[in-house]
Each structure stands twice: as structure tokens, then as C-alpha cells.
Amino acid sequence: MTTLNPELERITQRIIERSRPKRQAYLDFIARERDKGVHRPTLSCGNLAHGFAASGEDKPAIRSGKAMNIGIVTAYNDMLSAHQPYGRYPEQIKIFAREVGATAQVAGGVPAMCDGVTQGQLGMELSLFSRDNIAMGSAIAMSHGMFEGALLLGICDKIVPGLFIAAARFGHIPTILVPAGPMPSGLANKEKQRVRQLYAEGKVGREELLEAEAASYHGAGTCTFYGTANSNQMMMEMMGLHIPASAFINPGTKLRQELTRAATHRVAEIGWNGEDYRPFGHCVDEKAIINACIGLLATGGSTNHAIHLPAMARAAGIHIDWQDLSELSAIIPLLSRVYPNGSGDVNHFHAAGGIGFIIRELAANGLLHTDIMTVAGGTLLDYAVEPVLDDAGTLAFAPAPEVSRDDSMLRPVATAFQADGGMRLVEGNLGRGIVKTSAVDPARWVIEAPARVFDDQDAVIAAFKAGELDHDVVVVVRFQGPRANGMPELHKLTPSLGVLQDRGYKVALVTDGRMSGASGKVPAAIHLWPEACDGGPLARIRDGDVVRLDAVAGTISVMVDNSDWESRPTATQPAQPMGTGRELFAMMRATSDNAEAGASAMLAMAGL
């Protein structure tokens, strides 16, 4: 048996000890919920009759209480390409449930907003807090007490973290997350990026840009770049919450359908009264959360999860922070380069060996906790596989390849792309934030240049178009934190800043906002807190102040005299956002906690 890396063991024990009081309180809570919470045997006849009134052919089984009933929470809509395939899943799941003597009902639906549609638009200011909304909607769905197991249908950015948080609060119920897979590869992401930069420079028009975007995002399924959505799917496998190796199988295929069938059959086996009871809250422990962090680092995943993972962990009584992520990053090698960190997309990643290869490589080198409770049974090593259809069309699993099928995409630990996972904590007199170095040329890990300060991203674009940023510059975009405007992603800035960098200038972004999981080659210190609207240090910075971002030393500082810095007045926060529904989220902005804690009003107010 491989010995666990001693530094990983140290970090793990620190997280376990730090979490111990709240974790024990959580385990006691879900035990009480199992014994004394709402479930079908406790429902009155009137309650129960309402619950099965429209269940059709499943009515006798649900009424008798002898068959397991599976609750489906779905994030289906047919505007969002990743979630459009879920439209037919409930009727399929009901059929698959009957095959093993169980029943299934759609417990509820939750919103699934598309950050691709809202990117750079006003609606993006609702994006982060949609995670809390999804968690609350899922809790409403499961509150009826009709279910002994659950299947959660969700893929993208805030959807999976929201579903996860709700599943943790119903942690006595066995739950499996069910993916729908990425769209087939379209226009190469590097070519899409090239056209975006040409458009930013005014060298191609809107029609050429739209053609490139449409050729990239061209059908049903998750976008194929390795952003937050596909990072979600990777993490669910690293935690053992999927049917093994199911993340990156394309929609509309027989194999995809068989994986959904397997999830339905399996939740019936691990359900409340099943032969192998596996409650969600026991599957998700400190080691599982750490595995998610490790997977994120080993694959160069989305920086958005520096916010989501602490929130997800809190819901299960576990406390992690950016120091943990940064220290894990120092020992976890980067094993894959998926766009925007490389040229290929998630389909190429999966074809090269995918998550199964990553799991086996990390485990073989003592860099992964394999001894966790997974929904599949056994250990996490059972996820070092590839799903296939045998000659009879039945789902089977083959071992993941021992050698990468494409070492430009996927490598073993011995020849990793870089020795660390490329996500680093930076702190200094500008606050505390995160830098993702895995997509950035090491020559740009240290940037020192005069600041140009903005209060919104549209002003940055205007300054770029006016030629005002054609010099070495640290672009500071403040009042973008959760309490200011909901912490929108600032991915819209990437093409313009990339153009400046390509012109030979030293360029960096510093912000209390977020960048997309698709953020790429420009160094960026993001999620800085205390945020500007709380009087944080970004509210004091002025045009021309020299800022030094040093991702090697882990520092982010403005180079001014300390007495002058401390005596400066703070800038005035822009007016609270109105329109596009943003005013309805005022209470979430007002009560949100900081980015490192997970930027959640819901968890903060619940005392979790």
C-alpha cells in the first residue's frame, strides 16, 4: 500500500482538528434527521395522499411505502446547453427505478443561469448568489419527506455547488449527482480566443466574432473548455459522488444513458432502507473535500472553486481556507493542460485517459485519499476506470490507461507539466487573494507597474479602446466583491488585457471580484478581501500607485509609505445595483461573508 505524502497527511490532520467541533455537531445533526426528521412513515394520510396523487402507475408502490422512492432535483432548462439534455432524464429515471423495484418523482426544479450568456452583462451580478438560491430551492424540494434517496441533475458553475450544499443539509439521505456530459468538440478554443482578441483590437467585426463563438458553442452539452462547469464534474468524481468515470461522456449516446441507468440502480442499493446505506453526509468527509481540492490543483481547474469549496465544506461541518489550498498546491503537481491552460478541450482530456488516469497517478504517489466512502462502493481506486459498452450493450468498466494517450494533454507525476498545482494565496497591504499561475507564463508571475483604478469593467474596456492602457499597467477593478455588487466574473476583460500583454507590456489584474474559470494567460490577483465596499485597502488605491504582484513570494502590495497609506480616505462605493432583478438580491449582498469563507449570505446567517 502506498504511503501517504507526509505533507498531505499534515494538512489533512490540521483540517480534521480545526473542523472537529462543527463536524461532530453536523454528524449528530444528520443522525437526528434520520431518526426524527420528516420521512414517509411519519406523514399523515393527508400528507401522503398529496404526495402520490399524480404519480400514475407508481401510485400503488409509493402508497404502500414498501418501495424506495427517489427524489429528483433537476436544473433542466433548454436555454442552457449543458442542462438541455436533462429534459428527458426524469422519465428515463422513472423507468430505470422500476427495473429495480423502486420509484422516482421529480421533487423540484432549480434555476440554472448561464454565465456564458450573462458574462459581462448586468445579470452576472446575480450569478454567485444563485448558488444560495439553488441550495434553498433544493432544500424546499427535499423537505416533503417523500424520499429515501436522491438524484441531483446539474452541471454548471453555481448549480453543482448549490445542489451539493443542499444535499449536505439532507446528509442522512443517500444522494448521487448525475452529469449529462460535454458537447462534442467544435472550433478549437485557441482559434476562438484568437478571434476574440482580433475583435477587441477592431480587426474583425461582430459577424466574424459571432461565427467563431457559434462554431465553438454549437450544440447540447457542457462547454468544452475547462472552466468551472467541467471542474465541478471532475470534483464530484474525485469525491466519489458520481458513478465512476461518468463526467465527460457526450450527451445523446447509449453510454451516457447507461451511466444514468447505473446511477438510478445504485442509489436504490445505497438508499435509506437499502442493503448498503451510504448517506451523503458520510460520503462527504474531510478527506473527500481535500480530494476535491487535490483534483482541482492537479488538473488546473477553476479559481471559482476557491470560493465554492469553502462554502460546500461548511455545509458539512468542515472548515478549509486558502492557506490549505495554497499549501496543497505546493505538493500537488499539474498533470493536465486543458484549455485555457492548453490547446485541447475536455473531450481530448477524457480521450487521453481523463480523470481515471489522474486518480491512479495521484494515488500511486501518495497524493490522494483513496480510503473514502464513495457512492460506488469500494475505494476511490474504483474510479480509475473508463466506462465502455460490452458486446451486449451493457455498461462495463475498463482500467484507465497506464500511459497517457496524449502527453501534451495529460502526464504522469514523474513528468508533470509543473511541480505545483498553480493556485497560490497572495497577501499584503492590499488584502488577501488568490492567483492562478497554471495558465500564466512563469516570466509573468511577478509584475510591478503603476495602477490604473476603475470601479467597473466597462470603464476598463473604454480606457483600452481609447489607448489609455498602452503601457505597463496593473489594472485595479474594485467594488466587485460579494457585498458590493454580487461579485460578478470579469472574464470580459481577458481579451483586452491579453492584447496589451501581447503588445509587450507588463500587465496584471487586481480585483475584489472574480475571474471566470476560463481566465487565462494574464496574471490576476482575484477575490481580494476585505473588499473595497467594506473599507478594504482597494478603496484607498489611486491611479499611479505602484503595485507589486508576486505570485512566487505570495505577496500583493502597493508600494507607498505606510503612514500615507493608512491616512488616506476611502473611495465612495457606487450606488447599489438596480434592474435586471439585482435589487431582489440586496439582502444577500448585505449579509454575505467574505470570499475566503465562501461568500454566502445563507451560510453566514445560518451560523454554519
Side-chain angles (χ1 to χ4, degrees):
M1 183 176 178
T2 304
T3 302
L4 198 66
N5 178 286
E7 185 68 0
L8 174 57
E9 178 66 26
R10 181 189 68 81
I11 297 167
T12 300
Q13 289 306 313
R14 181 177 70 198
I15 292 170
I16 289 173
E17 287 304 315
R18 181 199 301 144
S19 304
R20 191 177 300 280
K22 287 199 170 182
R23 178 64 178 173
Q24 188 57 56
Y26 170 77
L27 293 174
D28 293 343
F29 164 73
I30 63 173
R32 289 195 303 272
E33 289 291 285
R34 164 73 195 245
D35 293 339
K36 298 179 181 178
V38 179
H39 53 103
R40 272 196 293 170
T42 69
L43 297 179
S44 72
C45 293
N47 297 147
L48 187 59
H50 276 85
F52 62 66
S55 56
E57 64 182 279
D58 290 326
K59 185 184 291 189
I62 296 174
R63 175 175 177 162
S64 72
K66 295 179 181 179
M68 176 185 175
N69 196 26
I70 302 165
I72 303 167
V73 179
T74 177
Y76 164 74
N77 67 52
D78 65 6
M79 176 276 297
L80 177 49
S81 65
H83 289 74
Q84 185 271 348
Y86 284 135
R88 303 295 295 273
Y89 272 44
E91 60 191 86
Q92 293 174 0
I93 288 169
K94 290 179 182 183
I95 294 170
F96 301 153
R98 292 175 195 134
E99 293 171 349
V100 290
T103 58
Q105 293 177 291
V106 175
V110 296
M113 71 178 296
C114 181
D115 288 2
V117 176
T118 58
Q119 194 67 248
Q121 306 298 321
L122 298 178
M124 176 55 76
E125 296 181 14
L126 279 59
S127 173
L128 179 58
F129 290 135
S130 76
R131 181 193 64 196
D132 288 15
N133 181 289
I134 290 160
M136 291 187 285
S138 302
I140 291 168
M142 295 302 295
S143 69
H144 296 91
M146 289 286 294
F147 312 108
E148 295 79 42
L151 295 174
L152 308 183
L153 313 184
I155 287 184
C156 286
D157 296 20
K158 266 58 66 182
I159 296 94
V160 166
L163 293 171
F164 182 105
I165 289 168
R169 301 317 297 171
F170 287 80
H172 58 294
I173 296 178
T175 300
I176 298 178
L177 287 101
V178 183
M183 68 179 70
S185 301
L187 180 72
N189 284 294
K190 286 284 188 182
E191 176 62 13
K192 175 190 67 181
Q193 182 189 50
R194 186 186 71 85
V195 176
R196 283 179 175 177
Q197 289 203 180
L198 289 173
Y199 180 77
E201 294 178 277
K203 294 179 179 179
V204 301
R206 178 180 170 84
E207 191 56 39
E208 290 91 339
L209 177 63
L210 182 58
E211 184 60 32
E213 299 286 357
S216 179
Y217 309 119
H218 60 89
T222 317
C223 304
T224 59
F225 63 82
Y226 196 51
T228 311
N230 287 315
S231 298
N232 278 335
Q233 303 311 302
M234 173 278 301
M235 293 195 315
M236 294 306 102
E237 298 215 1
M238 297 296 292
M239 300 175 79
L241 300 175
H242 275 174
I243 291 299
S246 60
F248 298 136
I249 305 301
N250 300 128
T253 63
K254 172 69 171 173
L255 183 55
R256 177 82 272 160
Q257 179 176 292
E258 290 307 305
L259 287 162
T260 304
R261 172 181 269 120
T264 309
H265 290 183
R266 183 58 182 160
V267 81
E269 293 172 348
I270 67 173
W272 193 307
N273 296 315
E275 297 179 358
D276 187 16
Y277 178 51
R278 290 174 178 261
F280 188 87
H282 286 266
C283 291
V284 177
D285 64 5
E286 296 92 338
K287 291 181 179 180
I289 292 288
I290 292 167
N291 281 353
C293 298
I294 290 169
L296 188 72
L297 297 163
T299 59
S302 169
T303 54
N304 277 327
H305 287 302
I307 299 174
H308 294 321
L309 275 167
M312 293 159 65
R314 283 169 69 186
I318 299 164
H319 180 188
I320 62 168
D321 60 26
W322 293 345
Q323 187 69 39
D324 298 324
L325 268 177
S326 195
E327 290 184 19
L328 285 168
S329 182
I331 63 168
I332 302 299
L334 183 68
L335 303 185
S336 68
R337 283 206 178 278
V338 191
Y339 183 84
N341 298 349
S343 58
D345 63 21
V346 294
N347 292 309
H348 303 123
F349 168 73
H350 181 75
I355 299 172
F357 180 91
I358 293 280
I359 287 173
R360 192 175 56 223
E361 268 300 304
L362 291 169
N365 287 274
L367 294 171
L368 195 65
H369 294 291
T370 58
D371 56 335
I372 61 172
M373 178 185 286
T374 73
V375 298
T379 74
L380 192 63
L381 288 176
D382 294 326
Y383 284 67
V385 295
E386 294 181 325
V388 295
L389 295 176
D390 63 20
D391 292 340
T394 303
L395 178 65
F397 294 96
E402 295 185 4
V403 178
S404 169
R405 300 187 184 111
D406 182 352
D407 67 2
S408 71
M409 175 70 57
L410 190 61
R411 292 184 184 176
V413 168
T415 58
F417 290 101
Q418 62 186 52
D420 72 281
M423 195 174 292
R424 304 186 181 193
L425 170 68
V426 291
E427 52 188 335
N429 64 5
L430 282 179
R432 189 171 165 98
I434 285 288
V435 174
K436 180 179 177 180
T437 59
S438 56
V440 177
D441 188 311
R444 298 190 178 99
W445 288 2
V446 179
I447 299 288
E448 184 174 313
R452 180 67 191 275
V453 184
F454 302 90
D455 291 349
D456 68 76
Q457 58 183 325
D458 289 333
V460 180
I461 302 296
F464 167 78
K465 290 179 177 177
E468 297 172 9
L469 303 179
D470 284 308
H471 51 79
D472 293 350
V473 63
V474 173
V475 173
V476 176
V477 190
R478 62 190 178 189
F479 297 113
Q480 304 299 307
R483 291 172 61 86
N485 64 350
M487 208 178 191
E489 289 179 348
L490 306 178
H491 179 48
K492 170 177 167 176
L493 301 179
T494 302
S496 299
L497 299 181
V499 168
L500 294 174
Q501 185 171 274
D502 289 349
R503 289 174 180 169
Y505 301 120
K506 295 178 181 178
V507 181
L509 174 69
V510 172
T511 181
D512 48 9
R514 294 184 294 136
M515 284 294 282
S516 167
S519 57
K521 63 185 183 180
V522 177
I526 58 177
H527 310 168
L528 280 168
W529 75 276
E531 60 176 288
C533 83
D534 282 340
L538 285 185
R540 296 184 197 144
I541 198 166
R542 297 171 181 167
D543 286 346
D545 286 340
V546 175
V547 173
R548 181 177 176 85
L549 168 59
D550 187 339
V552 178
T555 59
I556 175 72
S557 300
V558 59
M559 316 297 283
V560 298
D561 180 80
N562 190 57
S563 60
D564 170 50
W565 181 245
E566 294 296 333
S567 64
R568 283 187 185 183
T570 56
T572 302
Q573 180 183 349
Q576 278 289 298
M578 294 280 288
T580 320
R582 293 175 294 164
E583 62 277 11
L584 302 179
F585 285 72
M587 63 180 178
M588 289 189 168
R589 292 192 296 272
T591 55
S592 176
D593 48 22
N594 66 68
E596 188 169 5
S600 173
M602 173 186 67
L603 296 175
M605 296 304 291
L608 298 175

